[in-house]
């Protein structure tokens, strides 16, 4: 072969093998496909309600994506959602179903909302913000101690215990707001309000909270730790086969408690970010139920942090835009949650059919 031919061969871009192209196409199909199907089914539900689905989705996109104020609200909404997603990724990759995120989130939010206005009278704002974030993380972590110990040392199913702790956490949060932390100057039961100037700073002269940067940084770090470090490998081994992990000499009970602690701390941190960045206080009976809402998004992304960012953005657009569409078209505010529920069902069916296909291929 001549030097010129060798140069041309070297300069020619390397094409992906057909197997890799098929694998990428397959992943795109089982990831994006359920989203498209869920939107179509949601459109059929809208038609049954007498609403034009194209009009609804155009309002959603127009408000949540193409409107400057709507886009800023969408990006702000992403902050706590990304932290909840990071919490779930840690737990799910380790084979643990921490479904107590809503209780951990809400209790962290309430304690931060109660402490913030008091601390800002004593300390500089930057100290208050750091302490507030730590309070949220610690409160969330402490609320996971009971399910963690029961799973680690007694083998009690954490799905049951974390859901029970969520119920208790939501109830306790409401009691704290209405009694211990009640702002007596308001007619509606709520905590004292943290002044806007004492909250997390805004980004680039917009209304976007810097909580977005916290969420992005945390979920990227979680992804890298779980996929590129020895600690993440140990957690994945525990999640894949706990008996094999024990035979390999891994301290499974200790790792289980650590997973619960990290996951719950991130959920509590999400509550702190929501209060310090956006809400400023907690009203009685307030519960956005972010944790269970984010579960299908994490599964759609296959526990991949970068993929989760994209799906959280999509949900934030749907959530913010859905609020505007609800006001203009008379659709219930919770219809975006209906689409998420449909998405979860479609995702389950997709996983089932994909496993059946793989079994046929292997056989």
């Amino acid at each position: 072969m001549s030097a010129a031919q060798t140069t041309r061969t070297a300069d020619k871009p390397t094409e992906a093998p057909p197997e890799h192209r098929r694998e990428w196409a397959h992943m795109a199909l089982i990831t994006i496909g359920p989203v498209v199907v869920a939107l179509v089914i949601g459109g059929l539900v809208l038609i049954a309600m007498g609403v034009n689905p194209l009009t609804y989705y155009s309002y959603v996109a127009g408000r949540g994506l193409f409107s400057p104020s709507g886009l800023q609200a969408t990006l702000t909404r992403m902050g706590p959602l990304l932290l909840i997603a990071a919490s779930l990724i840690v737990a799910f990759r380790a084979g643990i179903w921490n479904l107590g995120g809503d209780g951990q989130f809400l209790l962290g939010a309430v304690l931060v909302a109660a402490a913030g206005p008091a601390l800002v009278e004593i300390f500089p704002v930057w100290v208050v913000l750091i302490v507030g974030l730590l309070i949220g993380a610690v409160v969330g972590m402490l609320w996971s101690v009971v399910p963690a110990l029961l799973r680690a040392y007694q083998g009690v199913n954490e799905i049951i215990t974390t859901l029970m702790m969520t119920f208790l956490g939501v109830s306790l949060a409401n009691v704290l707001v209405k009694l211990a932390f009640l702002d007596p100057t308001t007619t509606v039961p709520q905590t004292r309000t943290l002044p806007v100037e004492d909250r997390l700073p805004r980004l680039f002269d917009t209304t976007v909270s810097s909580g977005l940067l916290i969420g992005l940084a945390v979920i990227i770090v979680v992804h890298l730790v779980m996929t590129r470090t020895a600690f993440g490998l140990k957690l994945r081994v525990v999640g894949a086969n706990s008996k094999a992990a024990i035979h390999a000499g891994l301290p499974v009970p200790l790792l289980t408690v650590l997973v619960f602690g990290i996951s719950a701390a991130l959920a509590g941190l999400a509550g702190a970010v929501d209060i310090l960045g956006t809400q400023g206080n907690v009203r009685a009976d307030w519960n956005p139920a972010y944790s269970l809402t984010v579960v299908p998004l994490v599964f759609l992304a296959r526990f991949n942090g970068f993929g989760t960012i994209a799906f959280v953005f999509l949900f934030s657009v749907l959530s913010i835009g859905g609020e505007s569409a609800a006001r203009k078209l008379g659709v219930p505010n919770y219809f975006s949650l209906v689409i998420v529920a449909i998405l979860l069902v479609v995702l389950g069916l997709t996983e089932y059919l994909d496993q059946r296909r793989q079994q046929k291929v292997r056989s």
Side-chain angles (χ1 to χ4, degrees), residues 144-197:
S144 73
V145 169
V146 172
L149 295 178
L150 288 176
R151 164 64 191 267
Y153 296 101
Q154 300 297 325
V156 178
N157 190 312
E158 73 276 11
I159 295 177
I160 298 172
T161 55
T162 53
L163 287 175
M164 290 177 62
M165 292 299 287
T166 287
F167 176 77
L168 291 174
V170 171
S171 301
L172 177 59
N174 283 325
V175 170
L176 292 174
V177 171
K178 294 177 181 178
L179 298 178
F181 303 141
L182 176 67
D183 183 358
T185 64
T186 61
T187 56
V188 178
Q190 66 179 42
T191 63
R192 291 174 58 191
T193 301
L194 184 68
V196 175
E197 61 271 16

Side-chain angles (χ1 to χ4, degrees), residues 133-263:
L133 295 175
L134 290 175
I135 289 174
V138 171
V139 170
M141 181 175 59
L142 292 176
W143 199 246
S144 73
V145 169
V146 172
L149 295 178
L150 288 176
R151 164 64 191 267
Y153 296 101
Q154 300 297 325
V156 178
N157 190 312
E158 73 276 11
I159 295 177
I160 298 172
T161 55
T162 53
L163 287 175
M164 290 177 62
M165 292 299 287
T166 287
F167 176 77
L168 291 174
V170 171
S171 301
L172 177 59
N174 283 325
V175 170
L176 292 174
V177 171
K178 294 177 181 178
L179 298 178
F181 303 141
L182 176 67
D183 183 358
T185 64
T186 61
T187 56
V188 178
Q190 66 179 42
T191 63
R192 291 174 58 191
T193 301
L194 184 68
V196 175
E197 61 271 16
D198 296 326
R199 300 178 192 176
L200 289 171
R202 307 298 181 181
L203 299 177
F204 310 114
D205 295 324
T206 68
T207 60
V208 179
S209 169
S210 53
L212 171 65
L213 298 183
I214 297 175
L216 288 172
V218 168
I219 198 167
I220 290 173
V221 169
V222 164
H223 175 81
L224 295 177
V225 168
M226 296 302 294
T227 59
R228 305 292 177 84
T229 68
F231 178 68
L233 176 61
K234 291 178 182 178
L235 297 186
R236 298 202 310 273
V237 170
V238 171
N241 192 325
S242 58
K243 293 182 179 179
I246 293 174
H247 286 300
L250 296 178
V252 173
L254 176 60
L255 290 175
T256 300
V257 173
L258 282 175
V259 168
F260 267 103
I262 295 171
S263 177

Side-chain angles (χ1 to χ4, degrees), residues 54-137:
L54 296 180
T55 304
Y56 177 82
Y57 289 137
S58 65
Y59 272 128
V60 169
R63 170 62 178 166
L65 186 58
F66 299 116
S67 164
S69 60
L71 180 58
Q72 293 175 39
T74 295
L75 295 175
T76 298
R77 179 71 57 87
M78 287 179 66
L81 293 179
L82 288 173
L83 289 166
I84 291 290
S87 164
L88 294 173
I89 289 173
V90 170
F92 291 164
R93 277 191 175 271
I96 292 174
W97 286 76
N98 176 23
L99 300 183
D102 287 331
Q104 297 150 11
F105 170 94
L106 200 54
L107 282 174
V110 169
L111 269 295
V112 171
L119 291 175
V120 82
E121 298 173 357
I122 305 172
F123 300 105
V125 173
W126 66 270
V127 174
V128 175
L129 294 177
I130 293 175
V131 172
L133 295 175
L134 290 175
I135 289 174

